Structure formats: structure tokens, C-alpha cells
Amino acid sequence: MFVSFASVDTVKDYLDRFEKLSKEQPGSAPWSFRIDRGEHDKHVLFGGITHGNEVGSLPALIELADKLLTGDIDFGGTVSIVLGNVEACLAGERFIEADLNRVFLDGAPESAEKVRALEMMPLFEGVDLFIDFHQTIEPSEQPFFIFPYHKGGYDWARILGSEIGLVTRDPERSFAQGQVCADEYARGLGIPGITIEMGQKGLTEMAFQLTSQCCLRAIETMDRIASGETRESIVESDGKNHLRCYEIQYAQEFRSEFMALDPGLKNFTQVKAGEVIGKMDEEGSPLVVPMDGCLLFPKYPKRSEDGSAISPYPSEIYNLAIPLLENPEIAYSRT
């Protein structure tokens, strides 16, 4: 139903097109689109550019909105689409004053992003599924879902892309004290909330195809649920594989402005315990990997001529994830 990706438009062109569509079918917040066919009460919310420089979902989300309006894509319930940090997107930045994907709570410090999060919160009312489309800063060996384990989200991830891995954690372990992500906010309301990382930031074929796939599978499945099937029965009857699951076991604190990774490291690059992947300090002490695993979220901060990182500094320069040897429902039931 989606045309193949061949981006000739700029990000500004995509934003202009979405703004026009959202004026035809406005949601309950600025920069949101909502269409309700009224045949059943199921409601799916899709989020894009929560980080302003992660623009890969834009072409497919706009095409989805357009095809829902014209009837080329049929769905009996409600679809909402929200573009998160448009101001940062226009500036080509991840955020303006604060990370929007950390401030979905009333007690967050004041910022432009907190204002935006408060605008977005009413969009979650009555929603049955929230999918947030993200991209990584550096290249990735593979796309991946990332969210703390919960049965509903896990089943939905199997439906959306059982061939895609999941980076997860014990649901009793919070992401970070005093910070709430958009998908975490959804889960707090009892809504399955899923984040998918679709490779390196930018307008890419991978991002277009994954966004399209997830959107279509979500609304097709919601139609089936509205007709009487259950999420669990769909997972089983369609033979959806269990996900390859990983858990972050280590985060390397950014301890020196001269700490630096070797060039070219990617998300899911496999490393071995004892491997040197950079330097710790100005003297060039080796940055040694403490355990076998896969790199996640390697950071390459901007640097001055002397090699020192330029503020703002990352809190960690990389994370390490290891495969879970058993299904997370079993692994986390013992904690």
C-alpha cells in the first residue's frame, strides 16, 4: 500500500505536508493528525521526531495520513499521528533546551520541551497502542525495539517485527530517576508503549520500510482484535517468532573530556572482554571493554583542536548489551 521510498523532498517539505494534513484532520495537540472511521473503538497513536534530528519516520507517517484520508488504506478505528519536537527538527538538532523523551512528567524542570510534552499528553487518552519511531546517532548493525519488558508490548513487537531484536530490562528497574520517556508515559496509563530504533538518523530506505511495516501491521491487527480475536491468539495463529532479546549490563561513564572511542564503532558491534576500543584520558590510557557484548549508543562528542570534548558532555560514552538466554517473562519473574 505504500509506494517505495525515493526521497526528493527536504525535511521542511515533509513538515509542510504534515501541517496541511493536520489542518484537515486535527488531533488534540499542535502538530498532530487524527482520523476516526467510527467502525470500532480501537485507537493507535504513532509518534515521530520525538528527537528533532531523527527524521526517518516522516515520509511513511505522512504517506499513512494521506492514504487514510483518501481511503487507500482502510482502518475501522482511530489513528493519531504526532510529530514531537518540530522546533528542534527545523533547527536540525536533537532538542532545544531539554530532551523531549525524558520530560513526560509534571515535575520536570521548565523547558520548551516540557511545554511540548504537556501539550502531547492529552493525545494518549483512549489509546490502545503507542509506537514511537526513533533512530540512532551512529550507524547500527541492525534495527531494534527498546523498552522494559511487559507482556503486551512484547506481543505487539512480535506482531510488528518478529525478525527484529529487543533491548529490554526488568520492568521493576526504572529508566532514570526523575525522567520519563514517551513510551514509559504510555505504559503508566496502561497502554502498551513501544520504541523502535531504525538505524542511523536521516531519511533512509530502512526507516521508511520499517515505519510503513509497523504502521500497517498495527492497524491490520487492531481491526482483527476489534472483530473478536485477541492479541495472544493472533501471535500464536500467525506463528510469530519470539524475539532475540538483549539486556544492557554495563554503561561506561564519561569520566574525562579526553575520553574517546576509536572511529567507526556502531550499535551492535560485537566486542570481547579486554578489547581496547579507545582511550580513557589525555595520557591515552586504554579504554578496555569489561565483558563480552554488543555496543549500544556509542558517543562521538564534538571536540576542540586539542582533542577535548565540547560541552554538553554525554553521561556515558557507550553501553554494553548481552543476549538474554531465556525469554524475558521467565528471566524477570525470578527477580
Side-chain angles (χ1 to χ4, degrees), residues 20-49:
K20 181 179 178 181
L21 290 165
S22 67
K23 287 180 178 177
E24 292 184 50
Q25 290 288 145
S28 58
W31 290 99
S32 68
F33 167 96
R34 176 182 169 125
I35 187 166
D36 182 359
R37 292 297 183 202
E39 296 172 19
H40 59 70
D41 63 356
K42 299 302 179 186
H43 185 176
V44 185
L45 172 62
F46 300 110
I49 62 170

Side-chain angles (χ1 to χ4, degrees), residues 121-137:
M121 287 177 184
L123 293 169
F124 290 82
E125 184 177 350
V127 166
D128 296 284
L129 174 65
F130 171 59
I131 304 173
D132 205 13
F133 295 100
H134 284 251
Q135 292 173 288
T136 53
I137 298 172

Side-chain angles (χ1 to χ4, degrees), residues 64-86:
L64 173 66
D66 184 63
K67 289 183 179 294
L68 285 167
L69 277 174
T70 61
D72 291 334
I73 291 177
D74 186 33
F75 177 57
T78 302
V79 169
S80 293
I81 302 170
V82 60
L83 301 187
N85 203 335
V86 175

Side-chain angles (χ1 to χ4, degrees), residues 193-247:
I194 294 172
T195 292
I196 179 170
E197 299 276 2
M198 306 180 297
Q200 189 175 27
K201 62 186 181 181
L203 298 170
T204 68
E205 177 73 26
M206 176 189 287
F208 177 81
Q209 294 297 339
L210 283 175
T211 306
S212 304
Q213 170 184 300
C214 288
C215 290
L216 289 177
R217 289 181 180 177
I219 62 177
E220 288 167 359
T221 302
M222 278 299 185
D223 269 338
R224 292 172 65 181
I225 291 172
S227 70
E229 295 184 70
T230 66
R231 185 188 70 236
E232 293 84 357
S233 68
I234 290 169
V235 167
E236 295 306 318
S237 66
D238 290 5
K240 298 297 184 181
N241 295 328
H242 279 284
L243 304 176
R244 302 183 316 277
C245 293
Y246 305 82
E247 183 182 67

Side-chain angles (χ1 to χ4, degrees), residues 7 27 36 48 79 96 120 126 148 179-180 188 201-202 209 227 273 307 328 333:
S7 176
D36 182 359
V79 169
I96 300 300
M120 292 171 62
Q179 299 181 356
V180 176
K201 62 186 181 181
Q209 294 297 339
S227 70
S333 67

Side-chain angles (χ1 to χ4, degrees), residues 245-281:
C245 293
Y246 305 82
E247 183 182 67
I248 292 175
Q249 288 283 334
Y250 179 78
Q252 174 59 63
E253 181 185 355
F254 188 74
R255 298 176 182 172
S256 163
E257 61 187 5
F258 289 94
M259 180 181 278
L261 295 174
D262 290 338
L265 298 175
K266 301 178 181 180
N267 291 281
F268 278 92
T269 294
Q270 294 189 9
V271 292
K272 296 288 187 181
E275 185 175 344
V276 176
I277 60 170
K279 64 177 186 177
M280 287 286 293
D281 49 38

